[in-house]
Amino acid sequence: MDTFALVVTVGVALFFTYTNGFHDSANAIATSVSTRALTPRAALAMAAVMNLAGAFMGSGVAKTVSEGVIQTPEGSKGMGILFAALVGAIVWNLITWYFGLPSSSSHALFGGMVGAALAGSTTVYWHGVVDKIVIPMFVSPVIGLLAGYLVMTAIMWIFRRTNPHKAKRGFRIAQTVSAAGMALGHGLQDAQKTMGIVVMALVIADVEEYGDPIPVWVKLACALMLSAGTYAGGWRIMRTLGRKIIELDPPQGFAAETTGASIMFGSAFIFHAPISTTHVITSAIMGVGATKRVNAVRWGVAKNIILGWFITMPAAAVVAAVSYWVVDLAFL
């Protein structure tokens, strides 16, 4: 039963990574596709490869997820908590994907972990939740908004005397690099979150010791599932990010992607903070769009997206708590 529970939990964790890939693939490529810098399939293939590479670039975020959010629970109860946390995150991912709302897969996972832990009477490290999740959740979009505005302003000033058509052609080429940077950052951030969950499952099953390095097969499995999900594509969310917030041109797309990638790398390598790729790129697009004129951004769409950010953790927590109670009644 213990081995079966481990296999099921790891399988569900990998399925969550797959949903994360198709849910968040838009983050890396929506701007490039909407500005026609890349065709959709070429953009998805590039994003899948870069996600795979990014997953192997560090382990700080995975350590935060596996050790800094909830106390590692024990036994079959512990495996039930992880299973319920993943179910909560997957359900919320599928709901927001269906409605084309770019919510955060990361915060769905963290909400699921907290909700399942509370339902299972396991300790939640609230200081870790606040320091590593809640504060970055509020700070990273503000930084994305301001940085996007400043980067776009700088580009407009530097290229103010350049022929507009020539500049757009150049930025269309440059966007292939900035989109690759976004995808690399997405792999660095999001594959590691699932790695942290799988490591917790291995510790609960006594396959790994607490604090052991992440096994290579775990990194590879999580990276491949994220890449597969990315290649499957998330067209509904891509339309929201690429067209509904603001009609982007290549210089704006380059500015938004460069801003988003820089913030993701900084948070992963410097703070080991698992920030949301969705929050960062969406706020960067808003900041970039505001340089044209403030009302160029469709703030009604932006408001709905931000509302989705706020309800993601509580909603996933509720689904995870209910899932845990069902698992507890049926199996534990």
Side-chain angles (χ1 to χ4, degrees):
M1 181 63 187
D2 287 346
T3 305
F4 177 74
L6 174 63
V7 170
V8 169
T9 303
V10 171
V12 174
L14 294 176
F15 179 66
F16 165 75
T17 310
Y18 182 83
T19 68
N20 187 341
F22 77 68
H23 191 279
D24 288 3
S25 57
N27 299 332
I29 62 171
T31 49
S32 300
V33 172
S34 68
T35 61
R36 295 181 175 82
L38 292 168
T39 63
R41 280 294 161 200
L44 282 166
M46 179 274 297
V49 171
M50 298 308 282
N51 271 340
L52 189 64
F56 285 89
M57 288 179 63
S59 58
V61 170
K63 189 176 175 66
T64 297
V65 172
S66 63
E67 299 175 14
V69 180
I70 64 172
Q71 183 181 39
T72 303
E74 296 179 353
S76 57
K77 174 185 167 183
M79 211 63 84
I81 287 171
L82 287 191
F83 176 83
L86 290 162
V87 169
I90 289 167
V91 168
W92 188 248
N93 268 359
L94 293 175
I95 290 169
T96 51
W97 165 80
Y98 181 80
F99 289 105
L101 192 66
S103 71
S104 167
S105 294
S106 310
H107 291 105
L109 178 60
F110 301 137
M113 289 174 73
V114 170
L118 291 174
S121 304
T122 291
T123 303
V124 175
Y125 298 137
W126 291 109
H127 60 91
V129 172
V130 171
D131 292 349
K132 295 290 187 180
I133 298 168
V134 176
I135 290 174
M137 182 173 79
F138 287 102
V139 172
S140 59
V142 173
I143 294 172
L145 189 74
L146 294 175
Y149 183 87
L150 293 173
V151 169
M152 191 62 216
T153 302
I155 287 172
M156 287 162 64
W157 187 82
I158 292 165
F159 293 93
R160 66 192 183 282
R161 293 193 176 92
T162 308
N163 178 291
H165 294 293
K166 199 172 177 181
K168 282 184 181 180
R169 270 201 311 273
F171 276 107
R172 202 167 266 134
I173 295 165
Q175 265 199 277
T176 59
V177 178
S178 59
M182 271 297 299
L184 198 65
H186 182 231
L188 174 67
Q189 280 278 345
D190 285 34
Q192 284 194 48
K193 289 158 191 168
T194 309
M195 288 178 208
I197 294 291
V198 174
V199 166
M200 287 180 80
L202 294 174
V203 170
I204 292 168
D206 287 329
V207 176
E208 289 276 310
E209 292 293 322
Y210 191 78
D212 279 355
I214 301 168
V216 174
W217 73 265
V218 173
K219 291 185 178 184
L220 194 60
C222 293
L224 285 172
M225 288 303 286
L226 186 68
S227 293
T230 297
Y231 191 69
W235 306 109
R236 292 169 185 268
I237 292 169
M238 208 180 295
R239 279 194 291 273
T240 302
L241 276 181
R243 296 281 168 86
K244 288 186 180 177
I245 298 173
I246 185 172
E247 294 285 346
L248 292 165
D249 61 23
Q252 291 171 329
F254 174 80
E257 288 169 343
T258 302
T259 300
S262 302
I263 294 169
M264 282 192 292
F265 283 114
S267 63
F269 287 125
I270 298 169
F271 302 108
H272 300 161
I275 64 165
S276 165
T277 325
T278 312
H279 291 189
V280 169
I281 189 61
T282 307
S283 58
I285 290 171
M286 291 176 196
V288 163
T291 58
K292 190 183 285 185
R293 59 185 190 283
V294 173
N295 62 359
V297 178
R298 297 185 182 102
W299 295 107
V301 175
K303 182 188 75 175
N304 291 339
I305 291 170
I306 292 167
L307 185 64
W309 294 355
F310 280 106
I311 64 173
T312 289
M313 278 188 73
V318 169
V319 176
V322 172
S323 301
Y324 176 77
W325 289 324
V326 171
V327 170
D328 188 35
L329 281 172
F331 301 108
L332 301 182

